Amino acid sequence: MQLLAWLIVLLYLALAMGLGLFLTGRGSKSLVDFFVSGRSLPWWLAGTSMAATTFSIDTPLYIAGVVGSRGIAGNWEWWSFAVSHVILIYIFARLWRRSEIVTDAQLTEMRYGGNMAAILRGTKAFLFALPINCIGIGYAMLAMVKVVDALQLWQSLGIEPGENVKLFSVIGVSIFVLIYSGFSGLWGVVATDFFQFFLALFGAVVVAIFAVNSVGGIHELIPAVQQATDIDVLSFIPITGNFQWSDVAGITSTTFAAYVFVQWWSFRRSDGGGEFVQRLAAAKDEAEAEKSAWFFNILHYIVRTWPWVIVALVAIAIYPDLSDRELGYPKLMLDFLPTGLLGITVASLVAAFMSTVSTSINWGASYLTNDLYLRFFRPEATQSELVWAGRIASIVVTVLGGFAAFYATDIRTVFRLVIAVGTGPGLVLMLRWFWWRINAAAEFAAMLCGFMVGFLTSVVPILQAALPDFGMRLTVISAITAVVWITVMYLTPPESDETLDAFYTKIRPSAIGWQRQYQRTGIKPLQDLRLDVLKVLAALLLLFGAMFAIGGFLLLQPLTGWISLTMAVVGGFWLRWLSRQRILPTPRPGLDDEDLLR
């Protein structure tokens, strides 16, 4: 990079630091201010922050690797999560906001009681804050190292770095992020997220435009990319026009089926989870939480999918012999962007990296502070002490994430490991909101079993050989975990009536699985699950229809484009009609419809 590009990157870093430090006062008053912004985030800021969290520097590299090795259909590895994300909009967003928790681990002692609930909360907090979170930070740092290497950033300064120098430079940026996120808390994270997301999106679009122009336009790209591969790289789904599984698709039929029919409900974030819950809990009210979830889905799936995919396709056409497909994205930047735009685009990748790392730091620290330090070690701690505990916890998470980066080697492999170890408990996490019989022992068993089976089948050679197909591996993990938690649930007693009544009174979910609590308390549910499920179906038509319509027209697949557009229009009108409806819940004996409307 030349001097101008470096100056743009340094200017961006200075602005990010200044904004974060400016907001220090907002996050320093209390635990709630530090970790959930005093529950005052507007929907557009919370939704953008959720999207920025999932847009790290590793994301375009990961997609370049996925498309290069498995075709466009390989993106179902993350597209499938759109199902759970749409469910989040209409079924879980309001419930999370109504719970008024700081972390999702805190919900366990609201939903369950006794020692098992405390053990479950502490175990979840530890696993999410350190091993799982630090693995995520580690592979984000790995992606940053790859970008530093591919763009020859050190070499442009006349320095020939070793691998450790590159990694330490990335850890240095992470410490930079730690400074402003550690002082300002979630306010500093989401405010910088807003600018970082749109800068990162701008950078992705710029790379896509220059990449397509470099091959002579989209009409030249399509035949070139198909000729460069042995797989059906352009198919959105691995199904032929005769509705049969494609023999040349980039993913197997079992993997595709596992993505679409298993992964979204089996993964540990099936009801939201983690950083998303933190944003929903920080929203101004329930309606703002629901809108923020919708805004995230639009940005994450409809807006930014295709710039990444198009760049990945260009990389296949221009670098057909590239051994590491993940490097196609930064190589296109270096080869085809002019100096000024290269600086902006490098800054956009740094922004993507910083947004994810800042979120991971604050999120991990929230578990260590709220669910371990406050809950088990210093329940009498003052708000000032908790803020400082949060800052110290932020340092711990950053250091351990740096250590994890030394052991990460391949972004796609690490991403699949994260999915594998998180598969299994998702169904329990969804059912706990709607069925009184789910108990703490069942959730604890599902969490540990899913983690252990996912880890062992991913790292033990003999088990890897027995389950070489990733889709089959996910299915086996889900099945074994289900057998374990269902058995444990029926072998252990349910939660006490006092605990269940308190949860139902606080959350007021659909009464379908809470009839006993509904009859005992006489409190009407605030959720109409039947109507919400219909809204989910309509929203899925709208979301996937819009996403594939854009992709179909961009990639010169007009039939796909028109079918998808029709699907989106039907879904949109259906959703609009449903939003005007109100299906009354089943009344208790002695109540009529007028009572329910009061």
Side-chain angles (χ1 to χ4, degrees):
M1 288 203 316
Q2 298 182 15
L3 178 61
L4 176 61
W6 274 110
L7 289 176
I8 292 172
V9 173
L10 293 175
L11 176 62
Y12 164 72
L13 291 174
L15 291 174
M17 176 65 78
L19 179 60
L21 294 179
F22 175 75
L23 293 168
T24 297
R26 286 201 173 194
S28 301
K29 299 175 183 177
S30 67
L31 179 76
V32 170
D33 287 312
F34 192 80
F35 288 121
V36 288
S37 301
R39 307 197 194 280
S40 59
L41 290 185
W43 63 268
W44 52 269
L45 189 54
T48 304
S49 181
M50 291 164 69
T53 296
T54 57
F55 188 171
S56 180
I57 193 170
D58 62 273
T59 316
L61 274 67
Y62 158 75
I63 291 178
V66 166
V67 175
S69 60
R70 297 176 234 150
I72 292 177
N75 286 288
W76 281 101
E77 189 166 83
W78 65 280
W79 282 346
S80 63
F81 289 116
V83 180
S84 57
H85 289 155
V86 170
I87 291 174
L88 177 65
I89 299 171
Y90 291 110
I91 294 181
F92 293 116
R94 289 176 178 266
L95 301 183
W96 279 116
R97 181 59 183 85
R98 201 174 299 153
S99 70
E100 297 184 306
I101 46 83
V102 174
T103 67
D104 53 344
Q106 185 179 345
L107 184 77
T108 57
E109 288 196 289
M110 182 182 298
R111 173 61 177 82
Y112 313 118
N115 292 332
M116 180 55 72
I119 293 171
L120 176 60
R121 179 179 179 179
T123 304
K124 289 181 73 171
F126 174 78
L127 287 177
F128 291 168
L130 298 180
I132 293 175
N133 189 34
C134 290
I135 288 173
I137 295 175
Y139 78 72
M141 290 183 178
L142 167 66
M144 189 69 183
V145 169
K146 285 194 170 188
V147 171
V148 169
D149 193 26
L151 296 179
Q152 300 179 349
L153 298 185
W154 281 105
Q155 288 86 340
S156 68
L157 296 175
I159 301 172
E160 283 296 332
E163 289 301 318
N164 286 344
V165 173
K166 298 173 190 174
L167 185 54
F168 279 121
S169 65
V170 173
I171 293 175
V173 176
S174 302
I175 294 173
F176 179 89
V177 174
L178 169 66
I179 293 173
Y180 74 75
S181 63
F183 276 99
S184 58
L186 187 64
W187 261 116
V189 172
V190 297
T192 52
D193 274 354
F194 182 80
F195 296 101
Q196 287 165 351
F197 173 81
F198 288 105
L199 177 59
L201 180 62
F202 174 77
V205 172
V206 167
V207 176
I209 292 172
F210 275 82
V212 171
N213 287 339
S214 70
V215 295
I218 198 73
H219 288 84
E220 298 295 328
L221 171 63
I222 299 304
V225 73
Q226 194 62 75
Q227 292 173 8
T229 59
D230 296 326
I231 62 174
D232 187 7
V233 70
L234 296 173
S235 292
F236 294 178
I237 55 176
I239 299 176
T240 66
N242 298 323
F243 297 99
Q244 297 178 343
W245 293 110
S246 173
D247 295 330
V248 292
I251 58 174
T252 64
S253 58
T254 52
T255 296
F256 177 72
Y259 289 159
V260 175
F261 299 113
V262 177
Q263 180 172 275
W264 62 267
W265 59 260
S266 185
F267 192 61
R268 63 180 173 84
R269 294 189 175 187
S270 58
D271 65 342
E275 306 94 324
F276 289 1
V277 169
Q278 189 181 26
R279 271 70 178 167
L280 297 175
K284 289 181 178 180
D285 53 41
E286 295 172 24
E288 295 276 305
E290 183 178 296
K291 286 192 287 186
S292 69
W294 238 130
F295 195 48
F296 156 73
N297 276 275
I298 293 171
L299 294 176
H300 185 56
Y301 294 103
I302 297 176
V303 173
R304 70 183 180 193
T305 289
W306 297 109
W308 291 336
V309 170
I310 288 174
V311 172
L313 294 175
V314 175
I316 294 173
I318 294 182
Y319 313 116
D321 300 322
L322 187 65
S323 58
D324 187 349
R325 288 293 184 187
E326 293 174 355
L327 293 178
Y329 193 95
K331 281 182 67 64
L332 286 170
M333 291 171 52
L334 189 63
D335 290 345
F336 296 103
L337 293 183
T339 300
L341 285 177
L342 178 61
I344 294 174
T345 309
V346 171
S348 75
L349 289 179
V350 174
F353 172 75
M354 291 171 63
S355 67
T356 296
V357 171
S358 64
T359 288
S360 297
I361 291 172
N362 186 267
W363 175 58
S366 70
Y367 287 120
L368 296 179
T369 306
N370 185 64
D371 301 299
L372 292 178
Y373 183 75
L374 175 63
R375 172 62 181 84
F376 295 103
F377 298 103
R378 286 280 294 172
E380 73 282 0
T382 65
Q383 292 300 314
S384 176
E385 179 183 343
L386 291 174
V387 170
W388 276 105
R391 289 170 175 162
I392 294 171
S394 299
I395 297 173
V396 172
V397 171
T398 306
V399 170
L400 293 179
F403 278 116
F406 281 94
Y407 298 97
T409 57
D410 179 83
I411 296 170
R412 284 170 292 164
T413 301
V414 177
F415 187 82
R416 283 194 161 189
L417 174 63
V418 170
I419 291 178
V421 299
T423 295
L427 187 58
V428 176
L429 300 181
M430 298 175 78
L431 288 177
R432 65 181 176 176
W433 296 93
F434 305 112
W435 188 26
W436 66 273
R437 187 58 182 85
I438 299 293
N439 59 13
E443 184 176 333
F444 187 75
M447 179 183 66
L448 287 188
C449 180
F451 184 88
M452 292 304 300
V453 176
F455 182 77
L456 292 175
T457 55
S458 298
V459 302
V460 177
I462 189 172
L463 295 179
Q464 287 179 302
L467 294 169
D469 184 84
F470 188 62
M472 184 59 66
R473 190 186 309 168
L474 295 180
T475 304
V476 169
I477 295 170
S478 301
I480 293 174
T481 304
V483 170
V484 170
W485 75 255
I486 291 172
T487 302
V488 169
M489 180 182 71
Y490 281 111
L491 290 177
T492 53
E495 301 300 327
S496 67
D497 288 342
E498 180 183 3
T499 298
L500 295 173
D501 288 350
F503 179 79
Y504 176 79
T505 300
K506 174 72 172 178
I507 304 300
R508 298 175 70 176
S510 169
I512 293 175
W514 295 90
Q515 286 297 319
R516 296 182 182 182
Q517 292 71 33
Y518 180 25
Q519 292 171 6
R520 274 200 304 265
T521 63
I523 297 175
K524 299 185 295 291
L526 292 177
Q527 183 181 50
D528 189 332
L529 190 58
R530 290 172 293 175
L531 178 60
D532 289 345
V533 168
L534 292 176
K535 286 181 178 179
V536 167
L537 295 176
L540 285 172
L541 287 176
L542 175 58
L543 185 73
F544 278 110
M547 184 173 72
F548 289 140
I550 294 171
F553 290 127
L554 274 177
L555 299 178
L556 307 181
Q557 301 179 28
L559 180 60
T560 299
W562 285 113
I563 292 175
S564 301
L565 182 59
T566 302
M567 186 169 69
V569 171
V570 170
F573 277 107
W574 187 19
L575 185 60
R576 181 181 176 86
W577 180 79
L578 289 171
S579 298
R580 297 175 177 176
Q581 308 302 307
R582 184 180 181 191
I583 301 175
L584 296 174
T586 303
R588 288 191 299 116
L591 291 180
D592 55 26
D593 288 351
E594 292 183 0
D595 293 317
L596 293 172
L597 289 169
R598 292 174 183 170

